Amino acid sequence: MKIFIDGQFYAKENAKISVFDHGLLYGDGIFEGIRFYNGGVYKLPEHIRRLYDSARAIHLNIGMTPEEMTQATLATIRENDLHDGYIRLLVTRGAGGLGLNPYLCENASVIIIASTIQLYPKEKYDHGLKLASCATRRPAPAALSPSVKSLNYLNNVMAKVECLNAGADEGLMLNEQGYVAECTGDNIFVIRDRVVSTPPISAGALNGITRNAIIGLIRDELKFEVREENLTRYEIFTADECFLTGTAAEVIPGVELDGRDIGDGKPGPVTVKCMKLFKASTISCATPVYR
Ligand code: PMP
């Protein structure tokens, strides 16, 4: 495995960064998770755009143009001779002092790892995930904006600990007002009476690239209404169907919340259609790696 760090490729065992990097010391940095399928990168421009939005929001100068970042991402896949897999792209504040001051970090560090990912086993796609509500809330927008895909995932990690300890697969995270925001690593959708609903970004959901792709596919292909509206746990308990979306998880059914079946406790027909539609769309919305 060859890993890109600041313009050069390193073998896995030599891919190292400074212990003074503020990404490590303070979680000061941003990232993207990106998928490539059959030699094409899925929604690469969208991921690059979100990365640069995150950078702007935390006042981080990446030191590379979006075009250079795009080329570095493609080059990393080529260097590893991969056709299907997952990219983890990180930009850290870089090495600095032990104090918080980010302006003492001279250069951001860019790390690109091309690998594979299997977030959930196949049987979870066939039978669905069990969800559990978490006491850990999504941060309020006036704290760290939940739209920033930052290296600070500790509150999601705490929520994940809660849901795993409760015997569930994924954790449902609410915002400070008690409305559903998303899950620890995925956006959430519910379906009732042919209407699909998902929390708005303003409820504390990440502006998920899979979420946006699925909203488009449902509107264009299934001709169902999609609403971005505040949801509470009640709307999930009483939904006909539920599914989650994310780059790593793709589209995966949610069949239980807090020990109660959602719908009949099995992946629903609309969910299954969305899973198929998503799979088909990964072929068409791709930036070719090998020309
Ligand atoms: N919410 C959170 C908290 C995430 O970390 C992610 C990405 N894993 C998502 C939602 C899904 O976003 P995307 O579809 O862009 O991967």
Side-chain angles (χ1 to χ4, degrees):
M1 181 190 280
K2 292 281 171 54
I3 293 160
F4 176 101
I5 306 179
D6 298 331
Q8 288 190 42
F9 289 104
Y10 298 86
K12 192 177 171 185
E13 47 290 1
N14 297 324
K16 293 175 183 164
I17 59 156
S18 168
V19 292
F20 292 97
D21 193 305
H22 280 210
L24 174 67
L25 292 175
Y26 293 114
D28 185 354
I30 53 176
F31 77 102
E32 282 295 319
I34 310 170
R35 270 308 252 276
F36 51 101
Y37 301 96
N38 196 24
V41 185
Y42 183 69
K43 304 265 182 197
L44 185 56
E46 286 82 350
H47 282 286
I48 297 291
R49 181 156 194 221
R50 188 172 66 184
L51 181 79
Y52 281 78
D53 285 344
S54 292
R56 270 177 173 273
I58 70 161
H59 205 311
L60 173 67
N61 178 6
I62 294 182
M64 284 168 76
T65 64
E67 179 53 29
E68 286 167 347
M69 189 64 79
T70 300
Q71 293 310 324
T73 304
L74 298 173
T76 305
I77 303 172
R78 281 196 295 267
E79 190 75 19
N80 288 279
D81 202 15
L82 292 171
H83 287 77
D84 291 272
Y86 177 85
I87 295 155
R88 178 57 58 89
L89 200 172
L90 299 86
V91 187
T92 72
R93 188 75 66 176
L98 286 178
L100 206 62
N101 188 349
Y103 298 129
L104 298 179
C105 303
E106 272 186 24
N107 295 114
S109 261
V110 176
I111 300 163
I112 309 175
I113 306 167
S115 186
T116 53
I117 194 165
Q118 171 86 45
L119 205 58
Y120 297 109
K122 181 178 179 298
E123 67 115 11
K124 298 290 177 190
Y125 290 86
D126 295 339
H127 302 293
L129 297 176
K130 294 181 179 181
L131 312 180
S133 304
C134 302
T136 307
R137 299 287 164 119
R138 284 292 280 163
L144 174 63
S145 168
S147 290
V148 176
K149 201 160 165 61
S150 84
L151 294 181
N152 241 292
Y153 256 51
L154 201 47
N155 87 311
N156 299 51
V157 174
M158 291 301 99
K160 192 80 193 181
V161 166
E162 282 184 58
C163 80
L164 293 176
N165 289 354
D169 304 298
E170 234 315 20
L172 182 73
M173 299 186 75
L174 311 179
N175 64 21
E176 281 299 309
Q177 287 72 45
Y179 291 110
V180 173
E182 59 179 348
C183 291
T184 70
D186 307 293
N187 292 108
I188 188 164
F189 287 75
V190 290
I191 300 137
R192 183 172 161 117
D193 296 340
R194 296 172 63 88
V195 175
V196 181
S197 304
T198 191
I201 302 307
S202 57
L206 185 77
N207 195 358
I209 284 160
T210 321
R211 169 191 188 273
N212 297 340
I214 278 291
I215 290 175
L217 287 170
I218 294 172
R219 285 186 179 145
D220 297 346
E221 307 289 333
L222 299 185
K223 313 279 185 215
F224 280 20
E225 186 186 344
V226 183
R227 294 186 193 152
E228 296 182 56
E229 60 184 356
N230 272 330
L231 303 173
T232 65
R233 289 164 72 228
Y234 174 86
E235 279 81 35
I236 300 185
F237 290 137
T238 58
D240 298 332
E241 298 180 36
C242 167
F243 63 82
L244 312 185
T245 63
T247 294
E250 302 176 318
V251 180
I252 187 161
V255 293
E256 192 184 300
L257 174 62
D258 300 332
R260 311 177 208 182
D261 281 350
I262 301 172
D264 63 2
K266 297 190 180 76
V270 181
T271 299
V272 172
K273 271 189 197 146
C274 288
M275 291 167 75
K276 286 187 182 144
L277 279 175
F278 180 77
K279 265 263 170 284
S281 80
T282 57
I283 300 156
S284 52
C285 310
T287 304
V289 179
Y290 305 92
R291 283 173 213 266

